[in-house]
Amino acid sequence: MLTRRHIRVKVMQSLYALAQSNQINLEKEERFLLTSMDNMYSLYLTLINLMVEIQKMAASQLDMSQKKYLATAEDKNPNKKFVYNEVLTMLVNNELLQDAIEERKLNNWYLDDEYVKIIYKDILNSELYKDYMKEKVSTFKEDKQFIIDVYKEIIAPNEKLYEYIEDHKLTWIDDLPAVNTIFLKFLRKLKNNEHPQSYFLPRLFKDEDDKNFGVDLLKKTVLNDEKLQEQINGKTPNWDTDRIADVDNILLKMAICEFLKFPSIPVKVSINEYLEVAKEYSTPKSSIFINGILDKVVKDFEQSKQLNKVGRGLL
C-alpha cells in the first residue's frame, strides 16, 4: 500500500518535526514515524467504512419510507438501485474488512454520524445520483463507475469531511490525497466476484525491506546530519545556508544520505523521488534548486569515488 515515496514523505515530516523541536530524541521519533505510517492505514479503512455507513443509511431510510403510515406507491415500491449497488454491497458484506475496522476501533462514523448524513445528502442532491437512478437496474461496470465518480466528485473534495479529518488526527490531512488515490486505484481494478475479501485489505508495506527503509533513512539522516550538511555547504554560492527553506534542506540531506548509505538505490531514482516530493511539499522553485545542488553533489562523489552502488545501472 505504501510506496517508497510515501515513506520518504513520512521520514521528511519526522525530520522536520525534529528540526522544529531543536531536540533530538531519535527513539521517540522512530515510534512517531511508525505510528504515522500505521495511521495512514487507519485513514484508508475509515474512508472505506464511510462508504459502508452511507449504504447503511440509505437502506435504513428506504426501510422507514416503506413503513410510513401513509406510504405512497413510490414509497412502497422504491428504486433500490443505490442500496443494492454491487460495489457498496461488496464492501458492506466484507467480513474481513469489518473485522479490521473493529480491531482498530475505528468507530468514527458511529460517533460522528452527522458527517455521513452530510455526504449522503450531497450524493442525493447530485446530478450523478439523479442520472444513475433513472433506471432501476444496472451492470456491475455501471455500478462501479458510479461509485468511482461519487468518490472523486463528491466525497474526496468534501469540505466538511476535510475539516473533520484535519481535526481528528494530526497526520491524516497530509495523508488524505495519497489515501484517496489508493482507494480509487482499488476501485478501478475491481472486477465482479473475482476477488477474495482481502482485496481491500492490502499490506501496509510491500515487504519488510520497505518498512525498514523508513526507519533506516530516518536514523542515518539524523546520525550523519553534520556530514550531510557539509556536502550542501559551498554548493549554494548565491544562497546563505540559513536562507535555504527548511524542507529543501531536509530533502537534500535525505537524498545525499541515500547516495551514500543505501547502495541498492540508484542515484537517478533518489533524485527523481526527491524532486517529486519537493514539487508537492515545498516552494514552486524548490525542485529546480534541489536538482542543481544534487547534480553538483553527484559529480563530486563520482570524482572522489564515494558512490558505492551495487548492481547494474545504479548510477
Side-chain angles (χ1 to χ4, degrees), residues 14-32:
S14 292
L15 290 170
Y16 185 82
L18 276 174
Q20 297 302 305
S21 69
N22 293 318
Q23 295 179 354
I24 298 179
N25 187 332
L26 194 51
E27 185 177 340
K28 180 181 177 182
E29 206 55 44
E30 279 181 49
R31 291 197 300 270
F32 176 79

Side-chain angles (χ1 to χ4, degrees), residues 109-171:
W109 310 126
Y110 175 76
L111 298 174
D112 300 304
D113 66 338
E114 67 267 26
Y115 292 93
V116 181
K117 293 174 184 175
I118 289 169
I119 293 172
Y120 178 52
K121 185 177 178 181
D122 286 347
I123 292 171
L124 293 183
N125 292 333
S126 70
E127 292 301 318
L128 271 174
Y129 180 83
K130 292 171 186 174
D131 289 342
Y132 177 69
M133 298 296 283
K134 283 178 181 177
E135 304 292 336
K136 287 198 172 186
V137 293
S138 57
T139 63
F140 177 81
K141 184 178 179 181
E142 290 168 340
D143 281 355
K144 182 176 82 168
Q145 190 57 53
F146 171 70
I147 296 301
I148 290 171
D149 291 340
V150 163
Y151 196 86
K152 282 171 54 181
E153 298 180 28
I154 298 174
I155 297 177
N158 188 280
E159 290 184 10
K160 291 295 183 182
L161 179 62
Y162 186 93
E163 290 170 6
Y164 172 77
I165 288 170
E166 187 175 34
D167 292 340
H168 190 72
K169 200 174 290 290
L170 180 65
T171 59

